[in-house]
């Protein structure tokens, strides 16, 4: 690395770190809120909360690193242009092509690392996250809270009036089940949860059960009724990243994920010449172009991802090549023609 490239890289790195940390913290707060929702149906301690958060780090990196890289390259060169340092660098004989090749190599390495993160690390940690939640469900009682709507036990919707914390007994229980063919409604005076080898069992006492099928009502009373919900832990299941992505041509949801992950990972390489073109300016005449340029590239690129994400292979190839070719032409016209 030449002295000029080292100087340019150090300026970029300072800007990148400050911007990346800010975006990372913002995204972390968003994911912490999502994790907090999990506590509505399982109980976790502080260490387990940290474990769940660690599973979100690859996803946070995928959304923060490409944007931070693109904006940091543009802003670091814009600051050098503002202080006339970039003009001095070119006057002393530094070729813009060499600077472009240097940052293209950095963006290519970064995109390769992001591809590993998105296509290997993210499916793997998602599997760990799902296994952890299933494991917690199978090891602890369901966290049913009194006087809260929208809770479930297996396929049953459930509402409880109160809970005896000391004896772990629920009172004034109402349960509802609908499978489109018939509806079932249960009311019970009390009940308690038991866990038997990954089977959660809700034992109800003194109640009535209503079975509604084709507008016919069947009503029965019970002294004791047991309802089971099997929660299997997948902790020991073997997970294969290749098997996960094998459904990319069959499953629309997986295909959409594949397209979004790959295009986000390739964004640093696709947009690097745009960033250099917006950052290297004659400050007196072009000081406002960088903000419109950054916003425009981000808006167009991410809009294309959302619009064409269903067409996985063609979207990845077309959007990446279109972005890279346009950035190359823009760099030649704006930078190479002048410096």
């Amino acid at each position: 690395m030449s002295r000029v490239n080292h100087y340019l890289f150090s300026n970029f790195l300072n800007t990148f770190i400050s911007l990346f940390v800010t975006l990372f913290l913002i995204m972390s707060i968003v994911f912490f809120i999502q994790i907090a929702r999990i506590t509505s149906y399982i109980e976790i301690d502080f260490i387990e909360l940290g474990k769940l958060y660690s599973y979100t780090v690859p996803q946070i990196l995928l959304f923060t690193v490409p944007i931070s890289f693109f904006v940091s390259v543009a802003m670091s060169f814009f600051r050098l242009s503002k202080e006339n340092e970039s003009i001095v660098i070119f006057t002393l004989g530094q070729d813009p092509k060499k600077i472009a090749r240097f940052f293209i190599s950095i963006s290519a390495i970064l995109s390769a690392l992001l591809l590993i993160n998105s296509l290997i690390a993210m499916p793997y940690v998602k599997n760990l996250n799902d296994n952890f939640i299933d494991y917690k469900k199978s090891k602890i009682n369901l966290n049913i809270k009194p006087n809260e709507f929208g809770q479930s036990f297996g396929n049953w919707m459930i509402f409880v009036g109160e809970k005896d914390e000391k004896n772990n007994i629920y009172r004034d229980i109402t349960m509802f089940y609908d499978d489109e063919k018939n509806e079932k409604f249960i009311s019970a005076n009390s009940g308690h949860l038991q866990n038997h080898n990954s089977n959660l069992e809700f034992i109800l006492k003194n109640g009535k059960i209503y079975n509604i099928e084709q507008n016919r009502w069947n009503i029965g009373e019970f002294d004791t009724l047991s309802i089971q919900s099997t929660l299997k832990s997948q902790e020991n299941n073997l997970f294969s990243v290749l098997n996960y992505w094998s459904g990319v041509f069959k499953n629309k949801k997986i295909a959409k994920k594949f397209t979004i992950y790959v295009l986000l990972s390739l964004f640093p390489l696709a947009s690097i010449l745009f960033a250099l073109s917006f950052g290297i300016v004659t400050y007196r005449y072009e000081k406002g172009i960088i903000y419109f340029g950054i916003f425009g590239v981000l808006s167009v690129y991410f809009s294309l991802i959302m619009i064409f994400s269903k067409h996985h292979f063609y979207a990845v190839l077309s959007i990446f090549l279109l972005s890279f070719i346009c950035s190359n032409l823009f760099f030649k016209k704006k930078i190479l023609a002048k410096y």
Side-chain angles (χ1 to χ4, degrees), residues 77-319:
F77 272 89
F78 182 73
R79 186 173 61 251
L80 292 175
S81 297
K82 182 178 179 181
E83 298 170 357
N84 295 319
E85 293 187 41
S86 59
I87 303 298
V88 173
I89 290 174
F90 295 140
T91 303
L92 293 176
Q94 182 67 14
D95 190 350
K97 289 184 179 179
K98 292 182 179 180
I99 295 176
R101 283 196 293 267
F102 174 70
F103 277 93
I104 286 175
S105 64
I106 294 175
S107 63
I109 294 172
L110 183 60
S111 289
L113 293 175
L114 287 171
L115 284 172
I116 295 173
N117 173 75
S118 60
L119 298 182
I120 298 177
M122 285 179 60
Y124 181 72
V125 297
K126 183 183 183 302
N127 180 67
L128 291 177
N129 181 78
D130 294 341
N131 286 344
F132 176 79
I133 294 175
D134 288 342
Y135 175 78
K136 292 295 294 184
K137 284 180 177 179
S138 66
K139 293 299 180 183
I140 64 174
N141 289 338
L142 200 63
N143 186 19
I144 299 175
K145 298 179 180 180
N147 297 313
E148 283 196 13
F149 294 96
Q151 300 180 97
S152 62
F153 178 80
N155 295 324
W156 291 82
M157 298 298 295
I158 185 170
F159 177 85
V160 297
E162 60 180 278
K163 181 181 180 181
D164 183 348
E165 297 289 348
K166 183 177 180 180
N167 299 312
N168 196 30
I169 295 176
Y170 298 94
R171 304 190 188 280
D172 300 328
I173 302 166
T174 303
M175 301 182 69
F176 177 76
Y177 173 79
D178 182 9
D179 66 353
E180 296 183 357
K181 293 183 179 180
N182 66 338
E183 298 178 356
K184 294 179 181 179
F185 181 84
I186 297 175
S187 63
N189 292 335
S190 62
H192 63 278
L193 284 164
Q194 291 183 347
N195 191 337
H196 299 292
N197 298 323
S198 299
N199 289 323
L200 279 177
E201 185 177 17
F202 206 176
I203 300 176
L204 305 174
K205 299 285 187 179
N206 302 321
K208 293 183 179 181
I209 181 169
Y210 304 84
N211 187 23
I212 308 169
E213 186 174 2
Q214 296 180 350
N215 296 324
R216 297 176 59 185
W217 287 63
N218 297 308
I219 305 174
E221 296 184 354
F222 60 86
D223 293 326
T224 302
L225 178 66
S226 175
I227 299 178
Q228 293 186 343
S229 177
T230 303
L231 299 169
K232 296 181 180 179
S233 173
Q234 302 176 0
E235 193 80 30
N236 295 321
N237 288 359
L238 294 176
F239 176 77
S240 170
V241 173
L242 291 177
N243 289 338
Y244 179 84
W245 291 118
S246 63
V248 70
F249 294 104
K250 302 176 183 177
N251 190 313
K252 291 183 178 180
K253 186 176 180 181
I254 295 178
K256 187 174 182 178
K257 281 185 177 181
F258 178 82
T259 304
I260 293 173
Y261 290 175
V262 172
L263 285 173
L264 284 175
S265 300
L266 293 175
F267 180 67
L269 182 58
S271 63
I272 181 61
L273 292 178
F274 275 129
L276 292 174
S277 300
F278 297 141
I280 302 172
V281 298
T282 303
Y283 183 74
R284 179 180 297 179
Y285 306 106
E286 303 174 290
K287 58 183 178 182
I289 191 175
I290 183 171
Y291 305 108
F292 292 103
I294 289 175
F295 179 77
V297 170
L298 290 174
S299 299
V300 172
Y301 192 87
F302 284 84
S303 296
L304 289 174
I305 292 177
M306 293 298 103
I307 294 172
F308 297 103
S309 58
K310 295 180 181 179
H311 310 282
H312 37 87
F313 178 76
Y314 302 103
V316 170
L317 189 62
S318 301
I319 294 175

Side-chain angles (χ1 to χ4, degrees), residues 18-36:
S18 61
L19 180 59
F20 169 73
V21 170
T22 302
L23 291 178
F24 190 89
L25 290 176
I26 294 173
M27 289 294 296
S28 295
I29 294 172
V30 174
F31 279 93
F32 262 120
I33 294 173
Q34 293 182 356
I35 293 172

